[in-house]
Amino acid sequence: MSHSFYVTLFSFLFVFIIVNTANAQRDFSKWQIGVNGGILVYQGDLSKQDIGSYQTVQPVGGLYISRVLNSSFLLRTNLAIGRLYGNDASYNSPSWRQKRNYAFTSPLAEVSELLVWNMFSNNGNELAQRFSPYMFAGAGVSFLNVNRDYSKLDTTYFSSSSKTFNGLAADIARIPPRAVLVLPVGIGTEVYLTPNLSLTLETSFRYTFSDYIDGFSLGANPDKKDYYHSHTIGLLYRFGKGNKLGCPVIKR
């Protein structure tokens, strides 16, 4: 992903906040906007560890808008743009990975709707405390453009009668999905910097129903689906002034 995307994204958010801060009214106090950035971790047939391929992490950037329902829950519409990458050659063991040598890349654009639960019922900083952990879950769609590479397969190691070779032939005949359903679930925490501005830290796992996010299935491991997750840091801005939900502030 080009650096210009992040410059444009952060510039848009900065201008948007500056323009609206002076005119923020109590009517808009239940709305929040955020931006984040971090890494995407691919987890599938081309990753050795169950936790994903941290050898091939890729950048991700996001923008979202949230509607506060009450002090405990909010709805969040989320956009994430990034890239997925996996490569057998990233691993020296087991030795067959160097011989199979599959690889893939895919840009990713994900749109999702999340229900966020603030564990301390502190969506409007009612408790006047600095840290505010939360959990979230929802559903969305990831748009992909998978480019798989099997050109380095060692055909002297995998014979034409092998499961890998025959499975690869079946995979090649199948077009990878351009869109997949994802079920995001994750945890995060807000660190209040000002009444209107917070730092956010999040980890989000995406469950999918596809084994072709990396373009391979029968020629690899058809018994497991492909997944991905992200680790991000960002900024969250709340519109309005003071207590956002009209409740008395309880200081500790």
Side-chain angles (χ1 to χ4, degrees):
M1 189 184 307
S2 66
H3 295 294
S4 61
F5 168 80
Y6 292 105
V7 172
T8 302
L9 187 62
F10 279 91
S11 298
F12 168 78
L13 182 67
F14 179 78
V15 173
F16 190 85
I17 290 175
I18 295 299
V19 170
N20 284 277
T21 297
N23 298 318
Q25 301 295 324
R26 202 166 184 82
D27 291 343
F28 301 102
S29 61
K30 291 182 180 290
W31 290 99
Q32 305 174 354
I33 189 169
V35 64
N36 56 30
I39 59 172
L40 275 181
V41 184
Y42 156 73
Q43 183 176 343
D45 299 320
L46 278 58
S47 60
K48 179 180 177 181
Q49 295 90 354
D50 290 337
I51 60 172
S53 178
Y54 280 85
Q55 287 86 340
T56 59
V57 297
Q58 296 294 301
V60 64
L63 182 67
Y64 59 89
I65 186 169
S66 302
R67 176 66 163 86
V68 177
L69 303 178
N70 53 44
S71 60
S72 297
F73 294 97
L74 59 83
L75 286 175
R76 176 167 134 184
T77 302
N78 198 78
L79 170 66
I81 297 178
R83 185 171 179 263
L84 293 174
Y85 172 53
N87 194 335
D88 276 336
S90 300
Y91 305 97
N92 292 320
S93 64
S95 59
W96 56 262
R97 285 195 178 272
Q98 292 285 329
K99 301 295 185 179
R100 193 177 69 174
N101 218 347
Y102 289 163
F104 92 100
T105 60
S106 178
L108 177 148
E110 176 191 290
V111 180
S112 60
E113 189 69 23
L114 307 175
L115 179 64
V116 183
W117 171 47
N118 189 297
M119 289 181 269
F120 289 173
S121 298
N122 194 38
N123 273 332
N125 199 15
E126 293 84 355
L127 304 181
Q129 62 185 22
R130 190 169 181 82
F131 296 94
S132 187
Y134 56 90
M135 301 174 66
F136 56 88
V141 177
S142 285
F143 299 94
L144 308 167
N145 187 11
V146 179
N147 180 18
R148 58 191 168 194
D149 182 4
Y150 46 86
S151 62
K152 298 178 183 178
L153 177 70
D154 188 341
T155 54
T156 62
Y157 185 89
F158 296 99
S159 67
S160 59
S161 60
S162 66
K163 182 179 178 180
T164 296
F165 192 92
N166 291 323
L168 176 60
D171 289 339
I172 295 172
R174 179 164 179 169
I175 299 174
R178 299 301 297 266
V180 295
L181 176 66
V182 295
L183 301 179
V185 59
I187 59 174
T189 188
E190 289 185 42
V191 182
Y192 283 88
L193 304 177
T194 72
N196 293 85
L197 190 66
S198 294
L199 180 72
T200 62
L201 301 168
E202 287 187 3
T203 292
S204 178
F205 173 80
R206 276 75 157 196
Y207 180 86
T208 80
F209 300 89
S210 175
D211 192 27
Y212 278 96
I213 286 179
D214 51 24
F216 301 99
S217 177
L218 298 175
N221 185 359
D223 297 328
K224 290 185 178 181
K225 305 296 185 196
D226 298 329
Y227 313 109
Y228 63 93
H229 54 277
S230 63
H231 307 292
T232 59
I233 183 171
L235 290 174
L236 171 68
Y237 178 79
R238 294 172 184 78
F239 295 97
K241 301 177 182 179
N243 186 350
K244 307 298 177 297
L245 300 173
C247 303
V249 173
I250 301 174
K251 294 187 177 181
R252 292 183 175 181

